[in-house]
């Protein structure tokens, strides 16, 4: 069966080579860089080996820790909102009495497909304190204009709202797919047995959808953790550093200040945190999935 | 559940949904309409809902700048990386699904591909920057196409694995019995059957590549893709928002078109990809 093995190799080899050179090699290189002091802004210095100093600096860096904290905060807020809004929308759209479902599919799908860059710019425009449409609507109902992107607290809120608008459709589609795969007969049987809509939802639908919920939260959670585009465009770190999420902070250190070694160290810390998280929470799911 | 909802009149429910849909679509309407408004109309308070359509913003945004070059770059880079991604990824996906090899290998490989999906791009951007720099591929279309394979390949293999898995093996086995070679099977049996899946994957990958910012931001300057150009637009001292709205509209136009025409493919692909997990 040597020919067989050759064919398999041939089929997979290109992908493996490409992926390895784009992921393994750069990651190792990043690890290597993280042990050096490498300020590209001072090219005459070249690379200076400093061992674990970058990592020590990172752990002591208040802004880095703050960026991690902000990221977790942002992640929690956005994920919760997106999840529940998505589920609510899915439940709503699943009702039989809704007409023109095809049109709604397009409308609700659109925000998710738009570039975060476009979404961020649009948000920035709409949130302008004087000319923004959001403040105009707020004024109409009697609320004073808010300087959304000028204050730390409202800036992070604006970021969350922007991302919620951008990605709730994603959660909605998955929830809806789950809901639609739930056999209607079970609901009807429950109704015959006298269960209310609420009870049948919580005791029947929810357990069934548990795996889909898990996937939604996992996928979106990881994406939120490494979010860059939206925050870069919307606030660029916000007033001061109040919306500087971790990816943005690493970007600034690495490419604005050109501390390539330091940036690599922090990026590596970030990478490890993701890998650890995935290993802990996904181990069982993945081995289940791939046992075919 | 829908039965107890009968108590709530159909009208109310539809009104609710319509309202929510309106909120969701409003920002898109807003920025697109801004592109067609004169600058006075665009920033008028209270906002102008009925306005005279003008194309001057588009002219200013494209004719006297190099925005069209960035648009072109986006197209080339997206098309290129999507194409290579599918071509290379299809074989890998097929091999992983169809060929029997050691279970542990398969699991590890698939786990690795999955974890790449979770990779924070920022972790590789610094090394990639230095690598491309030494290869003299910074700020080139070729370099960007290569680099975008980092995103698109894992996702491509993932999605295609899901699709190929759904295809009945019996057809391929029958073809093999009839004496068809592996390549022949691929060409005549698998490819046509998997075509919708490949199409859906192509759409999904293209969209994500089209929308990407970080890699393009770091690895290109003058030959950048459109998102970078748009960001550059607003970073200036006094950005012309109307012109930018026009550029943005052109940028999201393909996406809107895709949404309208291929949404069913996209949704199916998304669900298949996620639910496979």
């Amino acid at each position: 069966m040597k020919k067989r093995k050759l064919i398999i190799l041939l089929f997979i080899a290109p992908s493996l080579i490409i992926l390895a050179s784009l992921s393994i090699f750069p990651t190792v290189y990043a690890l290597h860089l993280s042990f050096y002091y490498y300020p590209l802004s001072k090219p005459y210095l070249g690379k200076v080996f400093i061992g674990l100093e970058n990592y020590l600096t990172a752990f002591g860096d208040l802004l880095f820790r703050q960026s991690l904290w902000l990221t977790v905060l942002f992640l929690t807020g956005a994920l919760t909102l997106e999840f529940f809004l998505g589920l609510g929308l899915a439940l709503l759209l699943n009702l039989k009495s809704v007409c023109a479902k095809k049109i709604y599919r397009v409308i609700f799908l659109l925000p998710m497909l738009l570039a975060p860059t476009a979404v961020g710019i649009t948000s920035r425009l709409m949130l302008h304190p004087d000319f923004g449409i959001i403040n105009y609507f707020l004024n109409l109902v009697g609320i004073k204009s808010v300087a959304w992107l000028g204050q730390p607290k409202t800036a992070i809120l604006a970021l969350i709202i922007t991302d919620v608008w951008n990605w709730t459709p994603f959660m909605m589609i998955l929830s809806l797919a789950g809901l639609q795969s739930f056999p209607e007969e079970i609901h009807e049987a429950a109704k015959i047995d006298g269960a209310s809509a609420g009870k049948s939802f919580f005791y029947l639908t929810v357990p069934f959808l548990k795996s889909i919920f898990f996937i939604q939260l996992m996928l979106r959670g990881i994406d939120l953790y490494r979010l860059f585009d939206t925050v870069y465009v919307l606030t660029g770190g916000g007033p001061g550093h109040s919306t500087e999420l971790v990816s943005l902070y690493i970007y600034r250190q690495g490419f604005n200040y050109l501390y390539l070694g330091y940036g690599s160290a922090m990026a590596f810390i970030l990478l490890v945190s993701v890998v650890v998280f995935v290993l802990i929470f996904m181990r069982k799911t993945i081995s289940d999935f791939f046992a075919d | 559940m829908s039965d107890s909802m009968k108590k709530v009149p159909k009208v109310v429910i539809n009104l609710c949904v319509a309202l929510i849909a309106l909120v969701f679509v409003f920002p898109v309407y807003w920025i697109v309409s801004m592109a067609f408004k004169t600058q006075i109309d665009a920033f008028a308070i209270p906002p102008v809902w009925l306005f005279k359509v003008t194309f001057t913003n588009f002219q200013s945004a494209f004719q006297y700048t190099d925005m069209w070059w960035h648009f072109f770059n986006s197209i080339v880079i997206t098309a290129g990386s999507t194409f290579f991604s599918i071509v290379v990824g299809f074989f890998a996906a097929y091999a992983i699904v169809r060929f029997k090899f050691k279970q542990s290998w398969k699991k590890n490989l698939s786990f690795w591909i999955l974890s790449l999906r979770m990779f924070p791009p920022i972790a590789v951007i610094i090394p990639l920057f230095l690598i491309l720099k030494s290869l003299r591929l910074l700020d080139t279309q070729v370099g960007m196409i290569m680099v975008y394979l980092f995103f698109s390949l894992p996702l491509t293999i993932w999605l295609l694995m899901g699709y190929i898995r759904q295809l009945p093996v019996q057809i391929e086995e029958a073809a093999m019995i009839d004496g068809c070679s592996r390549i022949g099977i691929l060409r005549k049996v698998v490819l046509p059957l998997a075509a919708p899946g490949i199409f859906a994957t192509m759409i999904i990958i293209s969209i994500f590549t089209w929308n990407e910012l970080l890699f393009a931001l770091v690895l290109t300057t003058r030959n950048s893709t459109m998102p970078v150009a748009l960001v550059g637009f607003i970073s200036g001292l006094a950005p012309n928002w109307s012109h930018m709205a026009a550029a943005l509209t052109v940028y999201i136009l393909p996406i809107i078109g895709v949404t309208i025409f291929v949404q069913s493919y996209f949704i199916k692909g998304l669900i298949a990809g996620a639910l496979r997990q």
Side-chain angles (χ1 to χ4, degrees):
Chain A
M1 283 282 123
K2 266 227 169 101
K3 187 184 174 204
R4 228 180 120 76
K5 283 224 168 123
L6 195 69
I7 294 183
I8 298 177
L9 215 67
L10 215 72
F11 273 24
I12 304 189
S15 298
L16 278 186
I17 297 176
I18 294 177
L19 285 179
S21 52
L22 281 176
S23 62
I24 298 187
F25 182 58
T27 309
V28 170
Y29 193 14
L31 185 62
H32 166 85
L33 283 174
S34 68
F35 296 132
Y36 287 78
Y37 175 59
Y38 191 3
L40 211 59
S41 52
K42 306 174 192 159
Y44 49 87
L45 277 182
K47 287 197 306 212
V48 180
F49 185 77
I50 53 170
L52 290 173
E53 203 175 302
N54 276 327
Y55 289 96
L56 293 175
T57 318
F59 285 122
D61 190 343
L62 284 177
L63 282 179
F64 179 56
R65 297 214 302 250
Q66 181 186 290
S67 74
L68 280 170
W69 170 243
L70 276 174
T71 308
V72 170
L73 208 71
F74 164 73
L75 193 158
T76 316
L79 194 62
T80 317
L81 275 177
E82 283 169 23
F83 176 71
F84 285 111
L85 271 178
L87 184 59
L89 268 178
L91 286 170
L92 201 62
L93 285 179
N94 200 29
L95 297 175
K96 288 202 186 91
S97 29
V98 176
C99 37
K101 279 193 179 153
K102 286 239 156 89
I103 302 184
Y104 286 132
R105 277 236 292 239
V106 173
I107 293 182
F108 283 115
L109 183 62
L110 187 60
M112 182 177 93
L113 301 183
L114 294 176
T117 311
V119 169
I121 295 180
T122 308
S123 247
R124 203 156 136 170
L125 257 179
M126 296 200 326
L127 292 169
H128 194 279
D130 304 314
F131 299 113
I133 192 79
I134 301 273
N135 275 337
Y136 170 73
F137 283 134
L138 286 180
N139 287 336
L140 279 186
V141 288
I143 307 177
K144 267 206 319 199
S145 287
V146 181
W148 288 99
L149 302 176
Q151 299 161 11
K153 288 216 169 99
T154 52
I156 201 120
L157 206 71
L159 189 63
I160 292 180
I161 294 178
T162 304
D163 195 83
V164 163
W165 179 70
N166 198 357
W167 285 101
T168 299
F170 175 71
M171 302 295 242
M172 184 203 81
I173 290 179
L174 289 182
S175 290
L176 194 58
L179 282 176
Q180 284 176 340
S181 67
F182 189 64
E184 189 61 33
E185 302 87 51
I186 299 189
H187 274 311
E188 289 171 13
K191 187 164 176 276
I192 293 175
D193 284 347
S196 68
K199 276 222 179 100
S200 105
F201 176 67
F202 278 110
Y203 290 109
L204 292 176
T205 322
V206 171
F208 178 76
L209 292 178
K210 250 198 332 201
S211 53
I212 294 193
F213 288 161
F214 181 71
I215 291 169
Q216 286 180 343
L217 293 173
M218 182 104 315
L219 284 178
R220 193 63 210 135
I222 301 264
D223 281 344
L224 281 169
Y225 189 57
R226 48 187 197 165
L227 186 81
F228 177 82
D229 303 11
T230 319
V231 66
Y232 180 75
V233 171
L234 187 67
T235 64
H241 295 275
S242 58
T243 59
E244 206 167 49
L245 300 187
V246 82
S247 286
L248 189 58
Y249 183 66
I250 298 177
Y251 170 79
R252 293 259 181 251
Q253 291 295 314
F255 290 103
N256 285 158
Y257 299 117
L258 295 176
Y259 291 127
L260 294 189
Y262 189 42
S264 297
M266 287 190 292
F268 207 78
I269 296 177
L270 191 71
L271 179 62
V272 166
S273 62
V274 172
V275 169
V276 162
F277 183 75
V278 168
L279 281 180
I280 294 179
F281 286 95
M282 294 284 283
R283 246 280 146 80
K284 184 166 186 304
T285 324
I286 295 177
S287 31
D288 284 347
F289 171 49
F290 286 115
D292 55 332
Chain B
M1 249 203 75
S2 38
D3 263 33
S4 67
M5 281 292 171
K6 257 194 206 144
K7 297 184 193 141
V8 185
K10 206 170 156 175
V11 177
V12 174
I13 293 184
N14 274 295
L15 216 68
C16 271
V17 178
L19 217 70
I20 298 178
L22 207 72
V23 170
F24 262 92
V25 105
F26 182 72
V28 181
Y29 159 77
W30 185 244
I31 197 85
V32 171
S33 66
M34 186 177 256
F36 290 103
K37 289 181 181 172
T38 62
Q39 298 211 25
I40 307 173
D41 281 346
F43 292 102
I45 302 282
V48 180
W49 302 108
L50 276 86
F51 52 90
K52 181 165 181 272
V53 167
T54 168
F55 288 100
T56 49
N57 292 323
F58 290 94
Q59 234 180 335
S60 314
F62 284 90
Q63 205 170 37
Y64 309 119
T65 63
D66 55 358
M67 189 61 80
W68 61 270
W69 173 240
H70 299 299
F71 185 70
F72 177 69
N73 274 326
S74 271
I75 294 184
V76 168
I77 293 173
T78 301
S81 67
T82 305
F83 174 73
F84 284 114
S85 189
I86 302 244
V87 165
V88 172
F90 176 76
F91 286 104
Y94 183 76
I96 297 180
V97 171
R98 287 289 184 245
F99 293 133
K100 290 189 174 56
F101 44 106
K102 264 200 284 188
Q103 205 62 320
S104 58
W105 274 96
K106 245 194 203 186
K107 265 211 267 184
N108 283 327
L109 189 70
S110 313
F111 179 73
W112 179 46
I113 292 180
L114 171 64
S115 60
L116 280 178
R117 166 99 178 60
M118 315 231 172
F119 221 82
I122 198 97
V124 277
I125 197 85
I126 295 178
L128 279 179
F129 174 74
L130 291 173
I131 294 173
L132 280 194
K133 188 159 178 262
S134 54
L135 288 175
R136 310 262 211 112
L137 283 176
L138 272 185
D139 208 23
T140 60
Q141 289 172 352
V142 173
M144 289 310 292
I145 292 180
M146 277 171 37
V147 165
Y148 273 148
L149 286 176
F150 170 75
F151 286 117
S152 29
L153 205 49
L155 194 59
T156 306
I157 298 180
W158 188 257
L159 290 172
L160 286 179
M161 268 172 66
Y163 282 110
I164 296 179
R165 206 170 265 163
Q166 284 181 317
L167 301 178
V169 199
Q170 295 79 21
I171 303 185
E172 295 173 47
E173 287 172 357
M176 252 202 289
I177 294 176
D178 285 348
C180 204
S181 69
R182 270 289 172 187
I183 305 290
I185 297 179
L186 278 183
R187 247 186 354 144
K188 293 176 190 159
V189 177
V190 183
L191 217 57
L193 283 178
I198 297 179
F199 184 62
T201 307
M202 201 181 77
I203 303 275
I204 297 175
I205 302 291
S206 302
I207 293 182
F208 286 133
T209 313
W210 182 260
N211 292 346
E212 206 278 334
L213 177 68
L214 178 60
F215 277 25
L217 192 65
V218 170
L219 301 172
T220 59
T221 49
R222 269 180 304 150
N223 297 324
S224 64
T225 54
M226 243 190 136
V228 184
L230 287 172
V231 166
F233 222 126
I234 64 173
S235 320
L237 272 177
N240 190 314
W241 295 100
S242 289
H243 298 170
M244 200 227 51
L248 199 84
T249 305
V250 172
Y251 177 57
I252 65 177
L253 208 65
I255 303 289
I256 298 180
V258 163
T259 316
I260 297 178
F261 292 116
V262 277
Q263 43 106 344
S264 54
Y265 278 107
F266 186 87
I267 294 181
K268 283 198 202 126
L270 186 69
I271 294 174
L275 289 189
R276 287 286 156 258
Q277 304 189 259

